[in-house]
Amino acid sequence: MKRTLSSISAAAIVLGTGIPMVLADTTSTTPSYTQVGTVAFQFNGQTVANPYILDSQDSGNTTAFAPVYYFNQLLAKAGIQATWNGSTHTWALTAPNIDASKVQVAGGVGTGNTTITLNGTTIKMINTFAAQDPAGKKGDITTYFPAYYVNNLFAALGISATWNGSTGLAVNTQATALTAKQTAATNVEVNFNGPVASGTTVTLSQNGVNYTTTATWSGTTEVTLNTGYNLPAGTYTVTAGSLSGTVTIAEAVPTSIEITTKGLATVSGAAVNYTVLDQFGNPVANPGSITVSAYDSTNGSLITGSAAGSSNSVSLNLASGVAKNDNVVVTVSDPSYALTATTVIPVVGVTNIASIKLGAATENGTTNLTTAR
């Protein structure tokens, strides 16, 4: 069961003092915890501190806790002033350029013994506790914050941060690494662990040869490179300034068929439309050899049909023996890739045009309007 604190400390840790000032409250209750060891707190690839981490329970889950002082250091480097008040259990953040009313921390405000404010507005509540800092002198009591929730807070503030229980917390206000993955036969998606400077050129190459691509950015941390044609299978290199990474490209192959027609007309040559998709969920322009079979499950009769090559449509003969509201079971197959799709399509009959209603007629300057006789 989670144990909380009635009062953690009577003083404050103020950013910029260099040394956390904490006066312990001997009446407070500290939950049981396990000393894990040190991890790295990094900012743009540079280690700022190596705090000791404590594991304790929060909401029934084992969570890593770190001293608030070191979170303050990272926020300061990101341009946010942070002040911890142990008397009121308030972590006050000041960032004039951020609108607190638009900040939404994952999980909502929540509950806890500690309040986090941004420019005076409460944005999150969490549970914290006071404990001996193994890095300090005996009796140096400091306040520990749950790394998971602080990481979510950083994200809500627009700060790219990644928490790893084994390595620590990495905050990036500029990209220090990239990853890439294939999202289509023609596309490679590149993700950065921090913002990329405007105007950065991202290239795709193989064996020293650059491929011509069109770059479409999503914010400052993601870009999609499009070649406009299917890339040959192989390993490629993605480069952005001093950053680089590799991506493995696979040949796009048909992996599924999707029948899109929702209703059939009782005519000869009723069309059943379908789409062949590759492993990325994108339509395949030239599918293999398509076959079609169909029968009326309402009256038990077979229906003749034929495939129309690679036009993504098959034709069924519903001119006779099929009535409105019958259900037709249609199967479209591609033996070349062992793909099959089956669906039930209702017969909706034939739609006849009963009348045409025209809007106001206007002279276009070239055609004379005459009254019908």
Side-chain angles (χ1 to χ4, degrees):
M1 180 176 180
K2 181 173 63 180
R3 294 153 58 188
T4 59
L5 301 174
S6 59
S7 178
I8 294 180
S9 60
I13 299 174
V14 181
L15 188 62
T17 61
I19 300 174
M21 300 189 310
V22 180
L23 297 178
D25 180 359
T26 56
T27 64
S28 64
T29 301
T30 298
S32 60
Y33 60 82
T34 301
Q35 182 178 316
V36 177
T38 61
V39 296
F41 273 27
Q42 294 185 328
F43 187 83
N44 288 339
Q46 300 297 315
T47 298
V48 175
N50 295 99
Y52 276 88
I53 299 299
L54 305 181
D55 275 355
S56 187
Q57 292 292 304
D58 185 74
S59 301
N61 298 310
T62 300
T63 301
F65 287 76
V68 63
Y69 175 73
Y70 301 106
F71 290 122
N72 286 354
Q73 288 184 307
L74 292 176
L75 285 170
K77 288 185 173 295
I80 298 176
Q81 179 185 354
T83 302
W84 167 246
N85 188 314
S87 297
T88 61
H89 290 192
T90 302
W91 197 27
L93 311 182
T94 303
N97 295 327
I98 300 178
D99 185 350
S101 66
K102 296 181 179 179
V103 173
Q104 300 292 326
V105 184
V109 173
T111 60
N113 60 21
T114 296
T115 300
I116 302 174
T117 65
L118 175 63
N119 301 332
T121 299
T122 297
I123 59 174
K124 189 67 179 176
M125 296 188 71
I126 60 175
N127 286 312
T128 62
F129 64 83
Q132 167 75 44
D133 184 354
K137 298 178 182 179
K138 184 177 181 180
D140 283 350
I141 304 300
T142 190
T143 304
Y144 280 78
F145 275 48
Y148 172 80
Y149 292 107
V150 176
N151 191 60
N152 287 345
L153 172 70
F154 277 37
L157 296 175
I159 301 172
S160 176
T162 302
W163 166 253
N164 183 298
S166 299
T167 59
L169 181 63
V171 173
N172 293 293
T173 57
Q174 63 186 34
T176 60
L178 66 82
T179 58
K181 63 180 180 180
Q182 182 183 12
T183 56
T186 59
N187 291 356
V188 171
E189 179 183 291
V190 184
N191 289 277
F192 300 87
N193 66 345
V196 176
S198 176
T200 297
T201 299
V202 183
T203 60
L204 181 69
S205 64
Q206 186 182 51
N207 298 325
V209 177
N210 287 344
Y211 283 75
T212 301
T213 63
T214 299
T216 302
W217 286 89
S218 177
T220 59
T221 60
E222 179 184 308
V223 63
T224 297
L225 305 179
N226 182 286
T227 60
Y229 52 86
N230 291 0
L231 288 165
T235 300
Y236 292 73
T237 299
V238 177
T239 304
S242 61
L243 307 179
S244 65
T246 59
V247 58
T248 300
I249 300 298
E251 179 185 0
V253 295
T255 56
S256 65
I257 298 175
E258 179 182 343
I259 299 174
T260 57
T261 297
K262 304 301 181 183
L264 294 170
T266 52
V267 295
S268 177
V272 175
N273 298 318
Y274 64 90
T275 302
V276 180
L277 304 174
D278 63 19
Q279 69 267 43
F280 308 107
N282 299 314
V284 176
N286 296 303
S289 177
I290 297 296
T291 63
V292 60
S293 64
Y295 73 95
D296 188 330
S297 62
T298 302
N299 63 30
S301 62
L302 292 175
I303 298 173
T304 59
S306 61
S310 60
S311 63
N312 292 337
S313 178
V314 296
S315 178
L316 301 180
N317 182 10
L318 303 185
S320 61
V322 178
K324 182 179 179 181
N325 297 326
D326 282 4
N327 287 321
V328 176
V329 179
V330 178
T331 298
V332 178
S333 301
D334 184 346
S336 301
Y337 296 95
L339 303 179
T340 298
T342 300
T343 191
V344 177
I345 306 176
V347 177
V348 296
V350 178
T351 300
N352 296 315
I353 299 176
S355 62
I356 299 176
K357 183 178 181 180
L358 299 176
T362 59
E363 177 65 57
N364 63 13
T366 60
T367 303
N368 293 327
L369 297 178
T370 58
T371 303
R373 296 180 181 275

Coordinates of all heavy atoms in Angstrom, one line a residue, residues 15 22 46 71 73 114 116 150 153 155 163 179 197 216 235 237 245 248 266 269 310 351 353:
L15 N 16.9 27.0 -7.3 CA 17.8 26.8 -8.4 C 18.8 27.9 -8.4 O 18.5 29.1 -8.3 CB 17.0 26.8 -9.7 CG 17.7 26.5 -10.9 CD1 18.2 25.0 -10.8 CD2 16.9 26.6 -12.2
V22 N 18.0 21.9 2.5 CA 16.9 21.2 3.0 C 17.0 21.0 4.5 O 18.0 20.6 5.1 CB 16.8 19.8 2.4 CG1 15.6 19.0 2.9 CG2 16.8 19.9 0.9
Q46 N 25.5 15.9 -23.2 CA 26.5 16.1 -22.2 C 25.9 15.8 -20.8 O 24.8 16.2 -20.4 CB 26.9 17.6 -22.2 CG 27.5 18.1 -23.5 CD 28.8 17.3 -23.8 OE1 29.7 17.1 -23.0 NE2 28.9 16.9 -25.1
F71 N 16.7 17.5 -11.3 CA 15.7 17.9 -12.3 C 15.7 19.4 -12.5 O 15.6 19.9 -13.6 CB 14.3 17.5 -11.8 CG 14.1 16.0 -11.8 CD1 13.7 15.3 -10.7 CD2 14.2 15.3 -13.0 CE1 13.5 14.0 -10.6 CE2 14.0 13.9 -13.0 CZ 13.6 13.2 -11.8
Q73 N 18.3 21.3 -12.3 CA 19.5 21.6 -13.2 C 19.1 21.5 -14.7 O 19.5 22.3 -15.5 CB 20.6 20.7 -12.8 CG 21.3 21.1 -11.5 CD 22.5 20.2 -11.3 OE1 22.4 19.0 -11.3 NE2 23.6 20.8 -11.0
T114 N 2.3 16.5 -3.5 CA 3.1 17.6 -4.0 C 2.4 18.2 -5.2 O 1.9 17.5 -6.1 CB 4.5 17.1 -4.4 OG1 5.2 16.6 -3.3 CG2 5.3 18.1 -5.1
I116 N 2.7 20.7 -8.6 CA 3.6 21.3 -9.6 C 2.9 22.5 -10.2 O 1.8 22.3 -10.8 CB 4.1 20.3 -10.6 CG1 4.8 19.1 -9.9 CG2 5.0 21.0 -11.6 CD1 5.1 18.0 -10.9
V150 N 8.0 13.1 -14.0 CA 8.8 14.3 -14.4 C 9.1 14.2 -15.9 O 9.0 15.2 -16.6 CB 10.1 14.4 -13.6 CG1 10.9 15.6 -14.1 CG2 9.7 14.6 -12.1
L153 N 6.1 15.4 -17.6 CA 6.0 16.9 -17.4 C 6.9 17.6 -18.5 O 6.5 18.5 -19.1 CB 6.5 17.3 -16.0 CG 6.7 18.8 -15.8 CD1 5.3 19.4 -15.8 CD2 7.4 19.0 -14.5
A155 N 7.8 16.5 -21.4 CA 7.1 16.4 -22.7 C 6.0 17.4 -22.8 O 5.8 18.0 -23.9 CB 6.5 15.0 -22.9
W163 N 13.4 8.9 -20.6 CA 13.9 8.3 -19.3 C 14.1 6.8 -19.5 O 13.3 6.1 -20.1 CB 12.8 8.5 -18.2 CG 13.1 7.6 -17.0 CD1 12.3 6.4 -16.7 CD2 14.1 7.7 -16.0 NE1 12.9 5.8 -15.6 CE2 13.9 6.6 -15.1 CE3 15.1 8.6 -15.9 CZ2 14.8 6.4 -14.1 CZ3 16.0 8.4 -14.8 CH2 15.8 7.3 -13.9
T179 N 16.9 8.1 -36.0 CA 16.5 6.7 -36.4 C 15.7 6.8 -37.6 O 15.0 7.8 -37.9 CB 15.7 6.0 -35.3 OG1 14.5 6.8 -35.0 CG2 16.6 5.8 -34.0
A197 N 17.6 22.0 -36.6 CA 17.6 23.4 -37.0 C 17.0 23.5 -38.4 O 17.0 22.7 -39.2 CB 19.1 23.9 -37.1
T216 N 9.4 16.0 -46.4 CA 8.2 16.6 -45.8 C 8.4 16.5 -44.3 O 8.4 15.4 -43.8 CB 7.0 15.9 -46.3 OG1 6.9 15.9 -47.7 CG2 5.7 16.5 -45.7
T235 N 20.5 -1.9 -47.8 CA 20.8 -1.0 -46.6 C 21.2 0.4 -47.1 O 22.1 0.5 -48.0 CB 21.9 -1.6 -45.7 OG1 21.5 -2.9 -45.3 CG2 22.1 -0.7 -44.6
T237 N 21.9 4.7 -46.1 CA 22.4 5.6 -45.0 C 21.6 6.9 -45.1 O 21.4 7.5 -46.1 CB 23.9 5.9 -45.2 OG1 24.7 4.7 -45.1 CG2 24.4 6.9 -44.1
G245 N 22.5 7.5 -39.7 CA 22.0 6.3 -39.3 C 21.7 5.4 -40.5 O 21.8 5.9 -41.7
T248 N 17.0 -0.3 -43.4 CA 16.9 -1.4 -44.3 C 15.7 -1.3 -45.1 O 14.6 -1.2 -44.6 CB 16.9 -2.7 -43.5 OG1 18.2 -2.8 -42.8 CG2 16.8 -3.9 -44.5
T266 N -28.5 -5.1 -59.9 CA -28.9 -6.3 -60.6 C -28.8 -6.0 -62.1 O -29.8 -5.9 -62.8 CB -30.4 -6.6 -60.2 OG1 -31.2 -5.4 -60.4 CG2 -30.5 -7.1 -58.8
G269 N -22.6 -7.2 -65.6 CA -21.4 -6.4 -65.5 C -21.3 -5.6 -64.2 O -20.6 -4.5 -64.2
S310 N -5.6 -5.6 -64.2 CA -5.1 -4.9 -63.1 C -5.8 -3.6 -62.8 O -5.3 -2.7 -62.2 CB -3.6 -4.6 -63.3 OG -3.5 -3.8 -64.5
T351 N -30.7 1.6 -59.6 CA -31.2 2.9 -59.4 C -31.6 3.6 -60.7 O -30.8 3.7 -61.6 CB -30.1 3.8 -58.6 OG1 -29.8 3.1 -57.4 CG2 -30.6 5.2 -58.4
I353 N -33.1 7.0 -62.7 CA -33.3 8.4 -62.6 C -34.7 8.8 -62.9 O -35.2 8.5 -64.0 CB -32.4 9.1 -63.6 CG1 -30.9 8.8 -63.2 CG2 -32.6 10.7 -63.5 CD1 -29.9 9.4 -64.2

